[in-house]
Amino acid sequence: MADIHEAPHDVTPLPTYFFVFIALAAGTLLTWYASTINLGWANTPIALFIATTKAVLVILFFMHVIHSTRLTWVVIIASFVWLGMLFVLTFADYLTRFWAID
Amino acid sequence: MMLTDFPLFPEQASTVAKQTDALFIMLTIVCGAVSVLIFTMIFVLAIMYRRRPDNELAQEEEAPKILEATWIVVPFIFFMATFVWGSWLYFRLARVPDNALDIYATGKQWMWKFQHPTGQREIDELHVPVNRPIRITMASEDVIHSLFFPSFRVKADVLPSRYRIMWFQATKVGRFHIFCTEYCGTLHSGMIGWVDVMQPTDYQKWLAGGSEGSLASQGQALFQKYACNTCHTEDATGRGPVLLGLYGSTVTLANNATVVADENYIRESILSPQAKIVKGFGPIMPTFQGQVNEDDLLKLLAYVRSLAGPRTTTPPKEPKS
Amino acid sequence: MSDVTVHADEHVHHPFLQHQFEDLGQQHEASTLGMWVFLATEILFFGGVLMAYWIYRTIYPEAWALAGEQQNTLAGGINTLVLITSSLTMALAVRTAQLGSRRATLVFLFATMLFGATFLGIKAYEYNAHWHEGLFPGSHFTWHENPELAPKVQLFMVFYWGMTGLHALHMVIGVGLLVWIISRAWRSHFGPEYYSPVEVMGLYWHFVDIVWIFLFPFLYLIPHFGVLHG
Amino acid sequence: MTSVTYHDVQFLEPAKTRNYLNVDYGALSWLLTKDHKRIGILYMVSISVMFILGGFFALMMRLELLTPEGDLLTSDTYNKFFTLHGIIMIFFFLIPSIPAVLGNFILPIQLGAKDLAFPRINLLSWYLYMIGAFTGLLVVIIGGVDTGWTFYTPFSTQYSNTHVIGTTFGAFIVGFSSILTGLNFIVTIHRMRAPGLTWYRLPLFVWAMYATSLVQLLATPILAITLVMLMIERFIHVGIFDPALGGDPLLFQHMFWFYSHPAVYIMILPAMGVASEVVAAFTRKKIFGYTFVAYSSLAIAFLGFLVWAHHMFVAGISVYSAMIFSFLSYFVAVPSAIKVFNWTATLYKGSVSWQTPMLYILGFIGLFTMGGVTGLFLAALGLDVHVTDTYFVVAHFHYIMVGGAVMGYFAGLHYWWPKITGRMYPEWWARLGALLVFVGFNLTFFPQFILGYLGMPRRYHAYAPEFQVLNVMSTAGASILAVGYMLPLVYLLWSLRFGRKAGTNPWGAVGLEWTTSSPPPKDNFHETPVVTWEAYDYPAMLKAMGETQNV
Ligand code: HEA
Ligand code: HEA
Ligand code: CUA
Ligand SMILES: [Cu+2]
């Protein structure tokens, strides 16, 4: 990447920060509200979805990843992929442990 | 020394032993050949091309791609074959033959306790008939142990949390080692014993020797002692479900999920009854965690398993909450 | 990858350029990458305990539901807002440092620290309440409602204390780092060409915020979903 | 030990140029150093102490196993010895060995950098290592620990009455040291390469260290959190992994092996990197299939994360997931095979020199293959049921870790010794040492394969009498092995003072580390190098470097 050698000067415009902040606050209220109504099985995915969205906003804008090098993206994605491997393969055991053998 | 006579290969004394050994021998031959090949190549090449005045600098060679492809693909095919073979064997070990004789085992620091269906109990010694599948249901009272019969090529960890099941069918009469192979503390290496494989008639004779009644009948006594029978009656008048024909049947739970009533379900029903509530009943059964030890639990299990008959899932007249 | 470094002769004498680097650009890239890599390890660190939590939630939904009801959702929610706000001020601190306004940077850093302390205060209040309710795992754990589920409720509380405790530890470290950054900002160390420490501090702080964004639903909201009464 | 090296180093005749050893003197100049080379040496001294300690426990175990009865040690002592042996050898010796000693010293020089990206963090990681190691030693002194290096629950959390918390705390701290080393390497490799040094010009050692660092970074945190949970459980007696209180002991095993299987690649990948360097240097040849070897390191690092439950085939996991793990285990073997075949092929038409580092590496390739293929036995589900937790497993991993990784470490140590110290070691003694190690090693561990298949369980203090003959052979081998390891200890120290002076490039090897003086100056190079040649391109490199000695 060509722009490495000068300190990068892409300063995020103020409105971006405020919009993100408002979205985060709204997400918090929404997730709290959604938890008070019984949606059956859907409650959990909704809460997780909102949390993930909030996290992505923070990562992209507050942590400037949207302007960052490809390498930064790789680092972040890799860490979640690795965590995913831990979850998927461990659950593969727990969820099939008592399956019948035939 | 008089140690001239020592074994290099373990005795084959069960039906799976032959199959395990076949896989082992195949792997030994192929992998042995590959290792020898690598060693030979290394030494032959290293000597052929050793540094000499006329060989001060290597001659560069362009790497042919086909060579790389070969040594990726050929081993890979072999690996997959090994995988399939190994898995086939594993499934065979996991699937218990139907007509198996049931034996119960408890591991505790540092001994093995075995109980026969007829009620005989033995410690660090196990008598079984030859040529008959033996199914061992086992649990641990403390830490993880592992029950290992080297001559039968089977082992399984024995957990403190749930029942594990293993099986074998001995093919030779004789005495063979039992080892504990999961490290379990001070006397791990002393947690050993012998399995006595006998002719069926000898086994019957051995069984005839003193016993405190069959396991199931001992379980029945406990069933009264712990007052299970006050709720679990034989007709649908008790506060709990009738246990007749429960073992192996499919139970519908309060949340409409279904489970198969196997050893671990029955165990859980006794130790933490609230975990899975049977549909139509209230969560009133008290836990027996801490009151029933592993031995008694096995007896209760044997008793519940012995309650044959058609499953009747009639809820009580006035469901309590 | 084309991220090879090339000589750049200007900047060489900047007072904060460390000797192993060629220029400030390289130093900046190295320190942000270093922080990201560190955060990747943190993701797995928190992720590991999260998985253990999730396994037990799958096995013991009822106990999780009961224990979840013990949580003070209001306090948790307010704390989420507090942390989000602190993230905003932190982001603004980085921005003002980039722009070279020392005063604004100091103000925002200070605000961040204040919100962080507020978070810890509210958390301490919750901890105190749980302690008195006998919900601290161990010998004086008390749970009468349903004795059979007591060990599993306790298990939830182990995760509750463990995960929020680890998070709080990270917050405390963050506040400590802020003190150091503030003292450097005070001494006018930062400016448009050198602000990496503020930026790196920001990455850490936002990460700790993200952890909480997940902990809040996990520990306060999700436990009792879909289990109680149907 | 620290002071020995310090003094020995002082006795070095000052080189004509100032180098990293003689820029300043005194204990503090070492203890507060931020120079990666000096930190490498600090690590070298520390892990050597650990190796001797771990080896001592091994020898005591082998002596006990000379007879079937448990007569020399009590069973509790024996249990503590194999636990300490495993913990010390793995956490305190092998994991830091190549990365923290040779990697620390050589990697920045191979990259043409002045230092690692974060010198202070590098020093911090050594201090963390020392704190962890001292915690470990303290535990040894106050009574030891007897859980096995795997710390299985609920034995470790509820039943053992030894110093479990202290030991796990030590391992926990050392884990952070390992993470920080990995972090430093990753950033350095990405950001501090010399001009012209593109990825495909990197020495294979750098690729291997890069892959190793990835594993360190992504696996170690899981160990850390698992050990935290273990400590909490033991400390306040709650049931995270204890079934009596609702926990699942298998969850501990899952999380432990999610770290500890990849950790075996933390141990072997660096040795593979050394193998590539040494094979190239002592055949004066480009490594056959450079890109395959480079990418296979990354492939091992990645696939190594997907196989952990092959340690749990009889533990009570689902048979279906066992199948997945077995299947995936065979995938890791593919990139390992690629490496073995490519090293062997490199010898073809090479200019093979039988010097000590090469001897070690030739042994390494063969023994690693044997250890690796016996891993295939273990990964075969039905067969593992028989051999798991027997001496077959013990033989498997010693073949890879001692025959492989330790041999790799010794190869690297000899290869870079002239660079590190500026002195040559006595070649004849070194070859004798390599030979003794090879012979002693095989005598020690080959019989254990047979013992294992016969059914001798591991972690046994007393055993059935029919196993004795093979055990006697093994013990005899271990004594030869000990002598083999003692030799380098003696002659390497000797060489510090009396060794012939090494020139810049005693082996006529390529790579940036051979372009700077031995020992290197404080900032590694007198001027920033510019790389214009491909990795291991002998003709181009030799031309660029001008004259070399000893060619
Ligand atoms: C550096 C250490 C290291 C390395 C690299 C490995 C590498 C491998 N290991 Fe090993 N292993 C350990 C250290 C290591 N292991 C330790 C310490 C234990 C015990 C832990 C404990 O319980 O205390 C263990 C235990 C262990 C087990 C569990 C045994 C049990 O407890 O039941 C298994 C099971 O699958 C296994 C498999 C493998 C495999 C498939 C590889 C593969 O990566 C190997 C791949 C390499 C090759 C295959 C060789 C090269 C290939 C060729 C030359 C190709 C040609 C070959 C053919 C065509 C046949 N190992
Ligand atoms: C890097 C890892 C590593 C290394 C290098 C070694 C090296 C050796 N190991 Fe071991 N070993 C393990 C890792 C390692 N081991 C692990 C993880 C276990 C499992 C533990 C568990 O079950 O929890 C194990 C277990 C283990 C067992 C099984 C114990 C049991 O299950 O009951 C045995 C038995 O023979 C053994 C032997 C040896 C021997 C003889 C050496 C020799 O190679 C050692 C030779 C080295 C020296 C002797 C030191 C150097 C010597 C000098 C510098 C000379 C001066 C010193 C003296 C004369 C004392 N090891
Ligand atoms: Cu019981 Cu080992
Ligand atoms: Cu493994």
Side-chain angles (χ1 to χ4, degrees), chain A residues 82 85, chain B residues 72, chain D residues 207-208 210-212 214-215 261-262 265 269 272 291-307 328-339:
Chain A
W82 253 257
M85 300 189 316
Chain B
I72 292 173
Chain D
W207 280 95
Y210 186 80
T212 310
L214 283 183
V215 183
H261 182 81
Y265 299 111
L269 278 167
M272 292 170 156
T291 37
F292 283 93
V293 178
Y295 279 113
S296 63
S297 290
L298 296 184
I300 290 175
F302 175 74
L303 294 168
F305 276 92
L306 302 174
V307 307
L328 293 169
S329 295
Y330 286 103
F331 277 76
V332 217
V334 173
S336 309
I338 294 178
K339 284 185 192 275

Side-chain angles (χ1 to χ4, degrees), chain A residues 82 89 93-94 96-97 100, chain D residues 248 251 254 305 308 317-318 320:
Chain A
W82 253 257
L89 285 173
D93 170 22
Y94 278 88
T96 64
R97 204 178 270 176
Chain D
D248 180 10
L251 183 62
H254 271 300
F305 276 92
W308 73 82
I317 58 171
S318 130
Y320 299 97

Side-chain angles (χ1 to χ4, degrees), chain B residues 149-171:
Chain B
F149 301 95
S151 309
F152 304 157
R153 313 285 189 276
V154 289
K155 75 160 73 72
D157 281 9
V158 183
L159 300 175
S161 47
R162 59 182 159 101
Y163 290 121
R164 294 293 314 286
I165 286 165
M166 73 193 283
W167 75 275
F168 59 81
Q169 177 170 345
T171 53

Side-chain angles (χ1 to χ4, degrees), chain B residues 5-299:
Chain B
D5 180 33
F6 62 96
L8 288 175
F9 205 80
E11 205 156 353
Q12 281 182 340
S14 77
T15 47
V16 283
K18 281 196 190 59
Q19 291 159 355
T20 307
D21 290 348
L23 177 54
F24 177 75
I25 288 164
M26 183 282 281
L27 277 166
T28 309
I29 290 172
V30 177
C31 294
V34 170
S35 305
V36 170
L37 180 82
I38 300 278
F39 267 113
T40 320
M41 292 278 284
I42 290 173
F43 285 103
V44 168
L45 289 174
I47 290 169
M48 261 172 72
Y49 298 102
R50 70 187 172 280
R51 188 166 298 165
R52 275 172 304 205
D54 61 334
N55 184 24
E56 278 287 348
L57 210 69
Q59 311 135 39
E60 285 297 332
E61 240 354 72
E62 209 29 60
K65 286 276 180 306
I66 180 73
L67 209 52
E68 296 281 354
T70 318
W71 62 51
I72 292 173
V73 174
V74 174
F76 186 71
I77 293 171
F78 168 72
F79 295 160
M80 286 301 103
T82 313
F83 160 70
V84 172
W85 191 340
S87 304
W88 173 82
L89 195 57
Y90 191 65
F91 270 77
R92 211 188 119 89
L93 287 168
R95 210 179 293 126
V96 188
D98 290 334
N99 57 341
L101 176 70
D102 262 301
I103 289 188
Y104 298 85
T106 325
K108 70 179 269 201
Q109 286 174 329
W110 291 275
M111 61 168 89
W112 293 107
K113 296 191 279 187
F114 296 101
Q115 309 192 49
H116 294 259
T118 44
Q120 273 80 4
R121 294 144 59 78
E122 37 186 345
I123 287 180
D124 290 344
E125 184 108 18
L126 172 63
H127 290 78
V128 292
V130 73
N131 291 330
R132 162 119 197 243
I134 310 290
R135 174 189 199 268
I136 304 183
T137 305
M138 53 197 186
S140 160
E141 285 185 17
D142 36 51
V143 300
I144 304 177
H145 303 275
S146 189
L147 184 56
F148 180 31
F149 301 95
S151 309
F152 304 157
R153 313 285 189 276
V154 289
K155 75 160 73 72
D157 281 9
V158 183
L159 300 175
S161 47
R162 59 182 159 101
Y163 290 121
R164 294 293 314 286
I165 286 165
M166 73 193 283
W167 75 275
F168 59 81
Q169 177 170 345
T171 53
K172 265 188 205 166
V173 173
R175 258 165 92 76
F176 306 100
H177 282 295
I178 297 176
F179 293 131
C180 173
T181 44
E182 186 62 64
Y183 174 67
C184 53
T186 309
L187 288 184
H188 165 60
S189 57
M191 195 166 160
I192 56 178
W194 294 95
V195 52
D196 272 295
V197 182
M198 321 171 88
Q199 290 297 347
T201 46
D202 293 341
Y203 179 66
Q204 288 309 329
K205 252 185 254 157
W206 180 81
L207 281 183
S211 119
E212 310 147 35
S214 78
L215 259 200
S217 66
Q218 293 180 44
Q220 188 172 21
L222 291 172
F223 203 70
Q224 263 133 35
K225 179 181 157 208
Y226 290 113
C228 317
N229 56 344
T230 53
C231 298
H232 298 287
T233 50
E234 290 188 3
D235 45 24
T237 57
R239 293 190 292 162
V242 176
L243 300 184
L244 234 51
L246 168 66
Y247 179 72
S249 69
T250 305
V251 179
T252 309
L253 303 181
N255 59 4
N256 286 327
T258 56
V259 290
V260 174
D262 59 4
E263 289 78 5
N264 279 312
Y265 171 76
I266 294 169
R267 177 192 177 87
E268 190 185 38
S269 295
I270 300 171
L271 294 182
S272 36
Q274 316 283 303
K276 297 197 177 75
I277 306 286
V278 182
K279 193 179 179 77
F281 293 88
I284 51 163
M285 174 166 162
T287 169
F288 288 84
Q289 176 105 46
Q291 304 176 39
V292 186
N293 65 23
E294 285 295 339
D295 282 353
D296 286 357
L297 209 51
L298 280 172
K299 289 177 189 153

Side-chain angles (χ1 to χ4, degrees), chain D residues 48 51-59 61-62 65 78-79 81-90 93-95 147-151 267 391 394 397-398 401-402 405-406 410 441 444-445 448 456-461 471 474-475 477-479 481-487 489:
Chain D
S48 303
F51 181 59
I52 291 172
L53 195 64
F56 166 76
F57 288 127
L59 292 181
M61 289 190 314
R62 283 308 336 157
L65 295 174
Y78 182 84
N79 295 345
F81 277 15
F82 72 70
T83 304
L84 291 165
H85 168 70
I87 292 173
I88 290 175
M89 284 299 198
I90 288 196
F93 166 66
L94 196 52
I95 287 184
T147 58
W149 82 280
T150 47
F151 305 116
M267 305 178 230
Y391 263 81
V394 175
F397 66 72
H398 282 91
M401 298 202 296
V402 183
V406 178
F410 273 80
F441 171 80
T444 312
F445 294 107
Q448 296 186 357
M456 175 165 164
R458 61 191 283 207
R459 298 172 171 174
Y460 261 33
H461 155 249
N471 270 299
S474 180
T475 303
S479 346
L481 195 52
V483 177
Y485 284 130
M486 201 166 341
L487 279 182
L489 189 72

Side-chain angles (χ1 to χ4, degrees), chain C residues 167-180:
Chain C
H167 177 261
L169 181 70
H170 279 77
M171 291 289 296
V172 172
I173 293 172
V175 171
L177 288 174
L178 273 172
V179 172
W180 174 65

